Amino acid sequence: MARAQSTDVERSLGRRMRGVAGLAALAGLAWVARDVPAALGGRLSGARAERAARSPQFRDGTFHNQAGTRTMVAEPGRNLVRELIFGKQKRHPTTPVPLLRPTAAPAQAERADELNIVWYGHASTLIEIEGRRVLLDPVWSDRCSPSGLVGPRRLHEPPVGIDELPPLDAILISHDHYDHLDMATVRALLAAQSAPFLVPLGVGAHLDRWGVPAERIIELDWSESHRVAGLEITATAAQHFSGRGLRRDGTLWSSWVVAGARRKVFYTGDSGYFDGYAAIGAEHGPFDVTLMQIGAYDRAWPTIHMFPEEAVDAHVDLRGGLFVPVHWATFNLALHDWSEPVDRLWAEAKARDVRLAVPRPGERVVVDEPPAVDGWWQAIA
């Protein structure tokens, strides 16, 4: 009898411990996921929604590209999930990605015609133009995801801490996907910097939810410009899509033109190849340097991300000078080899006599004296 009672007590205690463990696990998950609803961002309402509705890009409740696109093209006999899990692609570098700390910028007195690029990884890039600093699509978080537990994880650390960035004059966001717009990074920049955020129409709703004051949010439609710190910054067309949750295309996406008195920069954001590049080049070019998306492509989504050869086509259309590739090396977002985008780009640039610089993350590129391409990535591919 005593043994039976002891067994019952042990079973009861075991059930209670399992229940406590289960509650603890649920509490832990809830703690980890506490920021997910906020990370999804805001929704258009009020004056912001009314302005969006007046955009030539907006109809039937969403934004649209100039031409029809599909974000996923079915291919008979191909299983993307199986390929993702069992594919033979070398999707990670074999050793750590080499990082550099940016060298000191030229002295102020020497910067009237200054134009430098510092690529921090993926699309996050600093433009130093005529003594001003413009930061593009900053993402410093470990994952490009609304969750800290799941989603693509960085393949290398940022080469500098976000608190080590120099004083900025403007922060540009190309669209609201997680690898270009990150809540934690925005909040850190809100506290550490005073620069305004220039964003495509509707993206201000996300910033508003994250505490960015209205006076630091400038929303632009395609072909609209804003002057800041002596720079003319223009939102230009791109061929992509948007969305942070289940709803798609509720905010606009864009490329960007950053123009000083003497120097000009173009940034693609994310985009498929389209004839809009020739129009942008005719209206705003030529450009001293273009920052071109080259990675995360696939034949399953050919109209929304460029293949490397198409990026060279776009650079030529834009009347670009120096080509600096972005949107590769940092997050694993497609099924190609880690080094394939830049290998294909280098071959195409040589074949077409396009000036190219491929910096290591953190390396400053002086546009007028770019470093020679040395194939640094091939040793770790």
Side-chain angles (χ1 to χ4, degrees):
M1 178 67 73
R3 182 176 298 173
Q5 290 177 338
S6 176
T7 300
D8 289 343
V9 169
E10 290 173 356
R11 288 174 177 169
S12 177
L13 182 60
R15 286 193 296 270
R16 291 180 181 178
M17 291 180 67
R18 287 192 294 273
V20 170
L23 288 173
L26 288 174
L29 287 173
W31 174 257
V32 170
R34 68 193 186 282
D35 286 336
V36 169
L40 294 175
R43 296 288 294 271
L44 274 68
S45 62
R48 181 172 282 121
E50 293 172 3
R51 185 181 176 197
R54 295 193 296 269
S55 168
Q57 283 60 251
F58 193 88
R59 62 181 182 274
D60 301 325
T62 60
F63 288 96
H64 294 262
N65 288 300
Q66 294 175 341
T69 59
R70 292 180 62 185
T71 55
M72 190 65 68
V73 177
E75 187 174 341
R78 188 181 187 199
N79 186 316
L80 288 173
V81 175
R82 184 184 299 117
E83 191 173 343
L84 177 67
I85 299 171
F86 300 109
K88 303 301 183 183
Q89 298 93 345
K90 298 178 180 178
R91 300 173 65 219
H92 298 78
T94 57
T95 58
V97 175
L99 308 179
L100 296 180
R101 294 188 64 81
T103 56
Q108 183 70 34
E110 303 171 356
R111 293 166 64 180
D113 293 317
E114 172 199 28
L115 183 55
N116 309 318
I117 302 297
V118 182
W119 176 60
Y120 296 118
H122 199 56
S124 302
T125 307
L126 180 69
I127 301 170
E128 298 174 330
I129 178 171
E130 300 177 2
R132 305 302 183 185
R133 300 182 183 93
V134 179
L135 183 63
L136 308 177
D137 284 350
V139 175
W140 257 251
S141 289
D142 190 47
R143 295 183 187 273
C144 54
S145 165
S147 167
L149 282 182
V150 297
R153 194 167 191 174
R154 301 185 73 95
L155 300 177
H156 67 81
E157 293 297 314
V160 299
I162 200 165
D163 58 339
E164 298 176 280
L165 291 172
L168 303 172
D169 294 286
I171 302 163
L172 308 189
I173 306 296
S174 65
H175 63 295
D176 71 1
H177 287 159
Y178 293 102
D179 58 321
H180 295 258
L181 178 63
D182 175 64
M183 179 178 72
T185 302
V186 166
R187 286 177 167 173
L189 289 170
L190 176 62
Q193 300 280 346
S194 59
F197 292 82
L198 279 68
V199 302
L201 286 181
V203 175
H206 303 316
L207 304 185
D208 182 64
R209 182 170 185 183
W210 300 337
V212 179
E215 62 269 19
R216 287 184 64 180
I217 302 173
I218 293 114
E219 294 184 69
L220 299 176
D221 201 349
W222 294 347
S223 299
E224 290 184 341
S225 299
H226 181 78
R227 289 195 67 82
V228 56
L231 302 174
E232 184 85 4
I233 299 178
T234 305
T236 43
Q239 185 168 281
H240 198 54
F241 69 108
S242 67
R244 296 177 73 83
L246 298 178
R247 186 169 184 261
R248 301 287 285 272
D249 301 337
T251 63
L252 188 59
W253 47 94
S254 73
S255 56
W256 290 98
V257 172
V258 179
R262 305 167 185 84
R263 314 305 299 265
K264 286 185 180 180
V265 181
F266 178 81
Y267 167 51
T268 57
D270 278 5
S271 179
Y273 179 75
F274 71 126
D275 58 11
Y277 288 121
I280 293 168
E283 182 175 358
H284 298 283
F287 294 97
D288 297 285
V289 59
T290 66
L291 306 172
M292 308 295 290
Q293 169 255 308
I294 66 162
Y297 51 80
D298 193 278
R299 61 185 186 270
W301 50 87
T303 60
I304 58 169
H305 275 183
M306 285 185 286
F307 293 86
E309 296 81 4
E310 291 178 317
V312 175
D313 289 336
H315 171 84
V316 173
D317 290 348
L318 290 159
R319 299 193 290 158
L322 182 67
F323 184 126
V324 176
V326 299
H327 207 273
W328 78 284
T330 306
F331 293 110
N332 198 332
L333 302 176
L335 300 173
H336 53 63
D337 288 353
W338 175 78
S339 63
E340 181 185 297
V342 72
D343 283 332
R344 290 174 60 169
L345 169 65
W346 196 12
E348 186 71 7
K350 286 188 288 188
R352 301 179 64 176
D353 197 27
V354 167
R355 293 175 61 229
L356 177 66
V358 184
R360 295 157 178 80
E363 182 177 4
R364 174 177 279 105
V365 173
V366 179
V367 170
D368 293 333
E369 299 177 359
V373 181
D374 60 5
W376 61 265
W377 63 90
Q378 295 177 338
I380 63 173

